[in-house]
Amino acid sequence: MSRSCDLTGRITGIGDEAAPDLAGQIAVARELGWSALELRTLDGIPLGELPAPAVREAAGLLHAAGLGVVCLDSRIGNWARPVTGPFVADLEELERLAEHGRVLGCRSLRVMSWTDGGLPEEEWGARAVDRMRRLARRAEELGVELLHENCTGWAGSDASRTLGMLAEVDSPALRVLFDTGNGVPYGYDAHALLARLLPHVAHVHVKDALPGDRPGDAVYTLPGEGVARVADCVRLLEDHGYRGAYSLEPHLAVVPHAGVTGAAAETAAPFVRAARRLAALPVPAAPSPAVPPPSAPRAPGRRTPAVDAGLLLHLLHTPTAGPLETGPGAPHALTGALRSYATAAARLGFATVRLGAPAAGTVLRDDTPRPVRRALAADPAFLDGQPSLVLRLGPALPRERTVMFNVHLDTVAGGEPPAFDGARFTGRGAVDAKGPAVALLAGIAAAAGACPAIGRDVSVLVQAVAGEEGGALGTFGTRPLVEEGYVGRLNVFCEPTGLRHLPRATAAATARIRVDGEDAVDDRPEAGHNATVLLGFLAQHLAAALGTAASGGSPSTVCVAGLYTGTLHNKVHGTGSLLLNLAYATAGAGAAAEHALARALDEGLREFTARFSGVPLFARTASDAARITRLEWEKRGLPALDASRPEWGDALLARAGIERWPDGEPGFTCDAIWLAGTPGTFTTVFGPGSLDANRAHAAGEFVDLHDLEAFAAKTAALLTAFADDLRQGAADRPLPVSTEKAGTA
């Protein structure tokens, strides 16, 4: 008995077998409805030889076409590199492809294990394993993974050698790429090899073939028409829990190692035929085993969810601080980071349901922060480089059966080079919030493995957003996604809270006090307006006035931030600005804080005039202080998520073993504000680490692996509790049963 195996969204292919040029590869991928490609060469040039500008151009074309990259096919250890050759060539290619992968959004590199170079078998094996060990250690540091293919090389066709190499190298950065068809020319049973390597398979190539007239020859066919048992291999992989890509490498018109190439007009048609045959491949029906397959998840609580350290390092290495943080021209690979994140999530069964930026018209509003408005005015294409991603595990279900998690992969600027010492990750975004983003996937996967209802009866959404940092406050990231309907009954914003949940979020108004006076030379300082003295006085006055409780009430949370006038020592700077951030817990408190600042500024200007009018050096500044000073608002009028909340939410998190943030302890600002007032929902902020203790936004930002693992475990417990509530009807009832599905406007 057989059926068509539904591989929708999981079939891709090595692009240069469809067309030599990237435009041709993209055209074929679009014709087939694919979401990704595997890359080996562009216009005949291996990826490892492409200069950085060419890679950036290629990434732009791929991303504009909506295509990700699932694997980069290196020449490391391949048929052209004997184990006696210069190892530096492999190390250099690893470094280049790791850098290219950050732009392209891919951390997986295909490798092989070198030809013998005339050495005896024992020495060949020893050298191959030693080289692979050294490559894997560097791959760990770079956050990439090496996928060893069952092709040419010492460990290519022998499962015992492959397993031995994996054991001796002992690295999470080394896994297996299984090719269904390589056993035919190399003379071994690939299906039998796969059965032994299943737990280590991270990526799959698909080809089929018939034996040729001579040993080592093969006649390549459409999938299912040869002797490679492609359908049986797919069944074996699916039954074991493989959820990654099936990448077509048909060798019908292009066989690189044999020097067989063709023009685009000759290669596209057979490639498309092979892709369509693979999509309709009849696969043997799944057996009904008496015992679970080897990949069956363990019972809840048996082990800590495994956090993908390599993915986190890859993301930490990828620059994602946006232009609002860095200014124009700085490296910014947020799209690549989101693509990498989506690819990792796809291996866990997630589907990408949205990846893109909102239209400018939906972003520009009265409450949109001024930096965002300025950026769009200066560059109408600004938003194109600020996409957000939505992933979904399971079908689209009504909101009552949906949990949404929100993370951000953009960061503030600066930071040291990323590192991981086995216990602690350091680097910008480690705790805020790339670390939580990676741990989140581990937690969801653990929950789905332990509780079949998750991904079946419970839909899980993950928003990975832009615009959380840089002063945008989610106005082109989270806000549009919420308004498009990507919301659950339970909504969790993953920010550092020390593993307590915070069911409120302050908003913030940002004021800029600007002085526009006249400069003066150092020989006649009294002739100009001294913005430094004026703004310095106002900074102290406002700090005292706004930081003191009025009429027995609570003081405002004010951050007296940047003051800038100039850098020259022999000049009186007549212009400058002072920034203040006012956090508030309710809309009413925000309006009151704005009025308080305006009043305090007027008082400060009067005091400055009274104090300095009799000082000759500053008399002109004192006289004109009110005229040359003005108050501008960078952002204001944003909502706040207040502490009023459905009781069922607190009870749910308590059942999951998650403690609530104390009511008397100050909260902080994050994108959770955009869920304020959403009926029938519970929203909270929850994550590992602490903004201050883990040095978020500061030098030395870090997060510990055990904190990420604890967050993943509590996330799994929370999802399981949510599923249990649905099954038992223990959640707050009755709720109106909506036919609206999460993710619909």
Side-chain angles (χ1 to χ4, degrees):
M1 181 179 177
S2 65
R3 61 177 176 79
S4 293
C5 189
D6 184 9
L7 302 179
T8 303
R10 297 168 61 194
I11 297 177
T12 181
I14 300 179
D16 63 9
E17 297 222 2
D21 61 301
L22 183 58
Q25 296 177 28
I26 290 173
V28 170
R30 280 178 157 173
E31 178 182 350
L32 293 167
W34 287 354
S35 62
L37 278 171
E38 182 166 342
L39 299 181
R40 184 167 55 198
T41 64
L42 299 179
D43 292 317
I45 302 173
L47 293 179
E49 294 182 8
L50 287 174
V55 174
R56 289 194 294 271
E57 181 181 358
L61 293 171
L62 287 162
H63 296 160
L67 294 171
V69 179
V70 294
C71 189
L72 304 179
D73 292 348
S74 82
R75 296 165 296 169
I76 295 171
N78 76 356
W79 52 83
R81 292 189 179 176
V83 77
T84 53
F87 185 45
V88 67
D90 296 313
L91 290 170
E92 289 177 349
E93 185 163 0
L94 172 61
E95 298 284 342
R96 287 193 298 271
L97 289 181
E99 183 64 33
H100 292 349
R102 293 167 201 148
V103 178
L104 292 164
C106 180
R107 58 180 287 255
S108 302
L109 311 181
R110 189 278 308 272
V111 301
M112 298 177 198
S113 50
W114 299 275
T115 58
D116 62 19
L119 295 178
E121 183 175 308
E122 185 175 351
E123 185 176 356
W124 176 23
R127 288 199 187 189
V129 170
D130 177 66
R131 286 185 170 202
M132 194 65 74
R133 182 185 296 111
R134 291 156 66 187
L135 283 169
R137 295 296 175 264
R138 182 56 179 151
E140 289 177 21
E141 296 170 349
L142 294 169
V144 298
E145 60 179 4
L146 309 177
L147 304 182
H148 178 267
E149 184 177 354
N150 55 313
C151 191
T152 190
W154 179 77
S157 58
D158 186 307
S160 296
R161 287 185 180 183
T162 304
L163 292 170
M165 181 179 68
L166 291 169
E168 289 194 52
V169 172
D170 189 24
S171 170
L174 178 62
R175 300 184 71 188
V176 168
L177 188 164
F178 174 71
D179 188 301
T180 63
N182 281 347
V184 178
Y186 287 100
Y188 64 89
D189 184 340
H191 184 269
L193 180 138
L194 171 62
R196 297 183 63 187
L197 299 182
L198 271 171
H200 308 283
V201 173
H203 189 52
V204 174
H205 282 176
V206 177
K207 67 167 66 76
D208 205 349
L210 296 166
D213 295 333
R214 296 173 300 178
D217 286 351
V219 178
Y220 293 99
T221 69
L222 296 176
E225 294 185 0
V227 298
R229 299 183 62 186
V230 174
D232 291 332
C233 290
V234 171
R235 178 79 278 152
L236 194 58
L237 286 157
E238 293 297 297
D239 290 347
H240 190 80
Y242 177 76
R243 295 296 178 263
Y246 289 90
S247 189
L248 187 67
E249 187 189 18
H251 279 4
L252 295 176
V254 176
V255 187
H257 64 274
V260 178
T261 61
E266 302 167 344
T267 58
F271 188 91
V272 168
R273 285 198 302 274
R276 289 177 173 155
R277 181 64 59 87
L278 174 58
L281 186 70
V283 174
S288 300
V291 296
S295 61
R298 302 182 184 183
R302 291 285 297 277
R303 64 187 178 95
T304 302
V307 174
D308 190 338
L311 174 62
L312 178 49
L313 276 170
H314 174 74
L315 294 175
L316 292 175
H317 277 286
T318 305
T320 56
L324 296 183
E325 279 282 329
T326 64
H332 180 60
L334 178 62
T335 304
L338 292 173
R339 283 286 183 188
S340 296
Y341 191 71
T343 300
R347 288 185 180 177
L348 303 175
F350 281 88
T352 296
V353 296
R354 188 189 191 283
L355 176 57
T362 67
V363 172
L364 293 174
R365 303 181 187 177
D366 291 341
D367 61 352
T368 300
R370 182 174 291 186
V372 177
R373 297 199 299 269
R374 283 198 298 261
L376 273 167
D379 179 10
F382 166 76
L383 290 174
D384 294 345
Q386 307 294 311
S388 292
L389 169 71
V390 180
L391 303 167
R392 185 173 61 227
L393 182 68
L397 295 173
R399 185 172 292 175
E400 291 80 15
R401 292 182 171 272
T402 300
V403 179
M404 186 275 282
F405 294 92
N406 175 288
V407 294
H408 65 91
L409 296 188
D410 66 325
T411 67
V412 301
E416 300 79 19
F420 177 52
D421 63 6
R424 174 170 290 183
F425 296 90
T426 55
R428 183 64 74 235
V431 76
D432 188 25
K434 293 176 177 178
V438 173
L440 173 65
L441 292 182
I444 297 171
C451 178
I454 297 167
R456 184 191 67 201
D457 307 322
V458 174
S459 181
V460 182
L461 291 174
V462 175
Q463 298 180 1
V465 301
E468 203 278 342
E469 304 288 7
L473 263 180
T475 49
F476 56 75
T478 298
R479 181 173 71 180
L481 295 183
V482 168
E483 292 178 352
E484 289 176 29
Y486 295 108
V487 174
R489 186 179 191 226
L490 172 65
N491 302 283
V492 181
F493 285 74
C494 303
E495 296 279 351
T497 63
L499 296 177
R500 303 170 296 175
H501 85 92
L502 172 62
R504 50 192 164 88
T506 59
T510 301
R512 182 184 297 274
I513 298 172
R514 189 182 298 278
V515 171
D516 289 313
E518 295 182 13
D519 297 341
V521 297
D522 58 335
D523 292 325
R524 294 195 59 198
E526 73 283 355
H529 296 108
N530 197 311
T532 306
V533 174
L534 175 54
L535 288 171
F537 179 90
L538 291 174
Q540 296 184 64
H541 174 83
L542 293 171
L546 298 176
T548 304
S551 304
S554 300
S556 301
T557 302
V558 58
C559 172
V560 182
L563 191 160
Y564 180 79
T565 55
T567 60
L568 297 178
H569 70 281
N570 59 350
K571 174 182 177 179
V572 171
H573 296 280
T575 61
S577 65
L578 168 67
L579 284 169
L580 298 97
N581 211 52
L582 305 173
Y584 52 90
T586 66
E594 292 178 19
H595 291 309
L597 173 58
R599 288 195 304 270
L601 176 59
D602 288 341
E603 293 168 359
L605 288 168
R606 287 195 295 270
E607 287 188 19
F608 180 85
T609 297
R611 180 169 179 179
F612 288 96
S613 60
V615 180
L617 282 177
F618 308 112
R620 186 183 181 200
T621 306
S623 174
D624 296 340
R627 179 179 62 81
I628 63 175
T629 304
R630 68 179 186 273
L631 172 62
E632 300 173 346
W633 291 99
E634 296 291 297
K635 61 177 180 286
R636 65 192 300 191
L638 298 175
L641 182 70
D642 62 29
S644 62
R645 54 192 179 269
E647 292 183 0
W648 66 261
D650 275 332
L652 172 66
L653 279 108
R655 284 194 296 278
I658 299 172
E659 180 185 352
R660 186 161 63 86
W661 187 288
D663 288 338
E665 188 173 330
F668 55 84
T669 303
C670 71
D671 282 7
I673 61 174
W674 298 113
L675 267 295
T678 306
T681 65
F682 182 87
T683 297
T684 194
V685 186
F686 172 60
S690 162
L691 287 170
D692 51 354
N694 289 73
R695 302 187 59 79
H697 297 198
E701 182 178 345
F702 72 93
V703 71
D704 291 327
L705 177 60
H706 70 80
D707 281 338
L708 296 178
E709 291 173 337
F711 171 62
K714 287 186 177 292
T715 297
L718 177 59
L719 282 169
T720 303
F722 185 90
D724 288 344
D725 276 3
L726 283 178
R727 183 173 61 251
Q728 299 168 7
D732 187 31
R733 302 294 188 210
L735 272 178
V737 178
S738 170
T739 58
E740 177 187 14
K741 294 181 179 179
T744 60

